[in-house]
Amino acid sequence: MYAVVKTGGKQYKVTVGEKLKVEQIPAELDSQIELTEVLMIADGESVKVGAPFIEGAKVTAKVVAHGRGEKIRIFKMRRRKHYQKRQGHRQNFTQIEIVAIA
């Protein structure tokens, strides 16, 4: 059984017991959160697809950790114009573990 959920502007295919990193969610560690924007649920041969979301469906997850991703370096340059710009970025994330799909 798996589901496709939307969180943080992205879509994720999740199964029970899976850990994944999503955009930062304001929640305490070891707390339960509910992802209600479920786009699809597949259980064997039966598949439910929402328009855009499945009504009454939810995915329960446990917050495992908060952190920051790898540093991304941004470098902009215009040749022959004496223009160079360096910038860095680290995106915050929340690691969750899927507990149940309902």
Side-chain angles (χ1 to χ4, degrees):
M1 180 174 195
Y2 69 90
V4 177
V5 296
K6 179 182 173 186
T7 179
K10 300 181 177 95
Q11 297 176 8
Y12 300 93
K13 178 183 172 185
V14 297
T15 58
V16 176
E18 181 181 6
K19 290 183 180 179
L20 66 143
K21 293 179 180 178
V22 298
E23 296 293 320
Q24 186 176 23
I25 298 172
E28 297 292 324
L29 288 177
D30 295 327
S31 65
Q32 299 276 335
I33 59 171
E34 290 183 355
L35 305 173
T36 56
E37 294 184 344
V38 181
L39 301 167
M40 185 180 91
I41 294 179
D43 188 12
E45 292 296 318
S46 65
V47 177
K48 290 182 187 174
V49 178
F53 306 118
I54 300 174
E55 206 170 305
K58 64 180 176 179
V59 173
T60 307
K62 182 177 113 176
V63 176
V64 177
H66 293 291
R68 299 186 77 188
E70 292 291 318
K71 187 166 199 172
I72 297 172
R73 303 204 184 268
I74 298 114
F75 180 72
K76 295 181 180 180
M77 187 180 99
R78 300 283 183 254
R79 63 182 189 162
R80 300 185 306 269
K81 304 299 180 195
H82 197 65
Y83 170 81
Q84 290 183 351
K85 184 176 180 182
R86 291 178 190 86
Q87 189 177 353
H89 177 75
R90 290 182 70 188
Q91 184 70 31
N92 296 327
F93 69 84
T94 299
Q95 186 173 10
I96 60 173
E97 181 179 0
I98 305 301
V99 177
I101 298 173

